[in-house]
Amino acid sequence: MAGPIAIVTGAQRGIGYGISRVLADRGYTVVLCDLDESALSEAERSIPGSHAMTVDVTDFEAVGAAVRTSEETFGPTAVLVNNAGINRDRMLHKMAESEWDTVVNVNLKGQFNCMRHVVPYMRGRKKGRIINISSASWQGNVGQANYAAAKAGVIGLTKTAARELARLNITVNAICPGFIDTPMTRQMPPEAFSAMMAKIPMERIGTPEDVGRVVAFLASDDAGYVTGEVVNVGGGMVL
Ligand code: NAI
């Protein structure tokens, strides 16, 4: 039997895939949203009951169409997880305008686009859970002016939406992963990777499922009175 619908963006790999797996294990029917059709269908095959949907979160109209299709085909959106993200790291004085625009567009505007289209459905039902993936970097990180600004923006977006939607029984929370083992972090130069590892009091890199289990909690009835919060999932990296 199909469970409640959870839409997860950036779901074909990394943290988004881990979140999707955990939610599917907990009985959700997960709508996997990402850019690449063939990678998505592989993820769809490996996650029981899931549905793949190709969508670019930066495309306002395409996100609207995807949300409508999901609502009409699979059912009411119980949970939206805004996870899609990219980085284009460079020192501020060398950063190209396009590197700024791309990162802010995907990491911040992408989350607005998804919320803008899902929230009217949730408002109508007076029910919903939104979980936005920010980053420990929101507090500032060398080489990440674009990424940190976008991720700090996610926190402002989350807290504003939490205030607007609280009386409608819709919770909105953010998660800040610390350093998680994904293709994004595996692309880092070895010295940068080791420097990040040295900052983790728990002395291990996080897994996508470490993040997924916190998403599952925030999506659950147990977290019904929690909104506007920013939860660090970083093995003590940010205290
Ligand atoms: P990843 O690069 O492994 O996966 C990101 C996914 O997002 C990819 O599947 C990619 O295709 C998808 N994506 C990118 N642009 C998209 C778009 N325009 N529309 C739809 N999908 C798009 O990255 P990872 O590490 O899994 O990161 C996931 C989220 O967690 C990101 O928001 C990232 O900023 C955040 N994060 C990751 C940390 C880490 O240590 N890996 C730490 C803190 C935050």
Side-chain angles (χ1 to χ4, degrees):
M1 206 167 69
I5 302 299
I7 296 179
V8 180
T9 68
Q12 83 190 17
R13 68 180 207 187
I15 294 174
Y17 181 77
I19 292 169
S20 302
R21 281 208 75 106
V22 172
L23 291 178
D25 284 350
R26 310 268 167 118
Y28 289 89
T29 296
V30 185
V31 181
L32 311 162
C33 299
D34 212 304
L35 295 170
D36 182 76
E37 200 172 339
S38 68
L40 257 181
S41 52
E42 210 172 294
E44 184 186 33
R45 269 196 300 278
S46 68
I47 300 182
S50 66
H51 303 284
M53 198 170 273
T54 311
V55 63
D56 179 344
V57 296
T58 66
D59 184 335
F60 186 81
E61 299 301 334
V63 170
V67 169
R68 203 163 41 249
T69 303
S70 176
E71 285 273 333
E72 287 169 5
T73 315
F74 310 127
T77 313
V79 181
L80 166 66
V81 184
N82 278 313
N83 164 80
I86 56 162
N87 54 8
R88 297 283 182 272
D89 295 356
R90 203 175 301 283
M91 296 296 278
L92 178 61
H93 63 285
K94 294 183 182 164
M95 189 172 285
E97 184 186 10
S98 62
E99 289 168 332
W100 173 273
D101 288 346
T102 308
V103 167
V104 172
N105 253 332
V106 177
N107 294 278
L108 180 55
K109 188 177 177 225
Q111 296 204 4
F112 163 73
N113 286 345
C114 295
M115 290 169 76
R116 176 64 185 81
H117 290 292
V118 167
V119 161
Y121 289 104
M122 289 182 168
R123 285 179 67 98
R125 294 189 282 263
K126 294 190 169 51
K127 194 172 165 44
R129 293 277 197 272
I130 299 172
I131 296 128
N132 294 331
I133 305 300
S134 177
S135 165
S137 294
W138 79 270
Q139 304 197 53
N141 199 20
V142 172
Q144 292 197 312
N146 50 0
Y147 185 79
K151 293 300 192 180
V154 163
I155 290 175
L157 173 64
T158 300
K159 287 180 180 284
T160 300
R163 286 182 192 275
E164 289 185 6
L165 298 168
R167 68 187 175 83
L168 295 166
N169 192 32
I170 299 164
T171 67
V172 190
N173 291 288
I175 291 177
C176 293
F179 194 52
I180 311 294
D181 197 355
T182 71
M184 184 189 271
T185 45
R186 289 289 167 187
Q187 282 160 12
M188 291 168 71
E191 326 77 67
F193 191 92
S194 310
M196 290 301 290
M197 287 299 293
K199 290 185 191 169
I200 308 173
M202 280 194 174
E203 297 183 344
R204 71 164 176 88
I205 194 164
T207 65
E209 290 73 22
D210 285 325
V211 179
R213 283 187 290 272
V214 179
V215 169
F217 167 68
L218 291 171
S220 73
D221 289 344
D222 289 341
Y225 201 55
V226 178
T227 196
E229 291 296 335
V230 179
V231 184
N232 289 307
V233 182
M237 198 169 104
V238 178
L239 292 175

